Amino acid sequence: MQDDDFTDDYDRPSKTKQKEAMHELRDLGAELVELSIGQLKRINLPENILDAVREAQKITSHGARRRQLQYLGKLMRSVDDAPIRAGLALLRGESAVETARLHRLERLRVRLLEDESVLAEIAATWPGVDLQHLRTLRRNALKEKEGGKPPKNFRAIFQVLQQLDGQPPTPAEEAGDE
């Protein structure tokens, strides 16, 4: 018997690699369980996984929760996890496209505060915008800045710009939305 007999037909991953993959899926499921209902809706989850996540959110017993997370990991083995990971990255703001979009909107907000004529550019980009509301938010944000008050209107401008850009709010803005 030669050594080549044992190495030729071994194409599948090792048992250790398989276990690591299962643990990653279980941890991914645990991450889903920590999300709010609104955040879960933004990730396109299969119905059976969404039901398992919702069930795990209801469970308070440690052992039962652990078993439910194991079950969730088992369910996740049967689906493609790439869209779920991409959705989570988007929620966390880890997506390069999402980060670039947020930076672009931030620059637009700063330019708006510096120069009111940027409202014309906003109106050209998004024809349905309520310019009067944005103008009021701008005026109030400038007053807040001068008075050293909390930047409530400054944040509101960013939220309006995000809505205009057609994207859902970030997780930080949605934190109180359960």
Side-chain angles (χ1 to χ4, degrees):
M1 200 172 213
Q2 296 178 352
D3 289 337
D4 293 339
D5 292 339
F6 293 107
T7 58
D8 285 344
D9 296 324
Y10 195 74
D11 292 334
R12 64 186 173 93
S14 69
K15 197 170 188 180
T16 303
K17 295 289 183 190
Q18 290 175 344
K19 281 187 175 182
E20 286 174 0
M22 289 188 295
H23 289 292
E24 282 181 23
L25 289 174
R26 185 194 59 211
D27 294 343
L28 184 64
E31 196 172 342
L32 290 173
V33 170
E34 299 302 318
L35 298 177
S36 70
I37 297 167
Q39 291 171 326
L40 283 172
K41 288 178 183 175
R42 289 176 42 199
I43 299 175
N44 192 14
L45 293 174
E47 192 65 33
N48 61 343
I49 291 179
L50 183 60
D51 291 341
V53 168
R54 300 287 295 136
E55 188 64 33
Q57 289 176 333
K58 296 176 189 173
I59 297 174
T60 58
S61 170
H62 176 72
R65 186 178 179 96
R66 184 184 56 78
R67 283 188 301 276
Q68 183 67 19
L69 288 176
Q70 291 283 58
Y71 174 66
L72 181 57
K74 181 180 176 182
L75 288 177
M76 292 188 67
R77 287 183 229 156
S78 65
V79 299
D80 181 20
D81 64 328
I84 297 171
R85 290 182 192 277
L88 281 171
L90 191 64
L91 284 175
R92 285 189 235 112
E94 293 175 358
S95 166
V97 173
E98 177 69 5
T99 303
R101 184 184 75 81
L102 293 176
H103 286 295
R104 180 177 47 83
L105 292 175
E106 175 63 26
R107 286 190 302 271
L108 184 61
R109 173 174 62 174
V110 169
R111 285 183 32 232
L112 174 63
L113 289 174
E114 293 171 354
D115 184 14
E116 190 171 355
S117 66
V118 174
L119 282 171
E121 178 186 329
I122 292 172
T125 306
W126 299 290
V129 65
D130 182 2
L131 290 176
Q132 187 59 42
H133 179 64
L134 260 179
R135 193 173 283 120
T136 303
L137 287 175
R138 178 186 179 274
R139 183 177 56 244
N140 292 341
L142 291 172
K143 285 181 185 176
E144 287 171 350
K145 188 175 181 180
E146 288 174 8
K149 295 180 181 178
K152 177 183 168 188
N153 289 291
F154 184 71
R155 292 184 188 122
I157 291 171
F158 192 75
Q159 290 172 353
V160 167
L161 291 174
Q162 274 194 309
Q163 289 170 356
L164 288 172
D165 203 36
Q167 296 292 328
T170 60
E173 294 167 1
E174 196 175 277
D177 184 41
E178 284 193 52

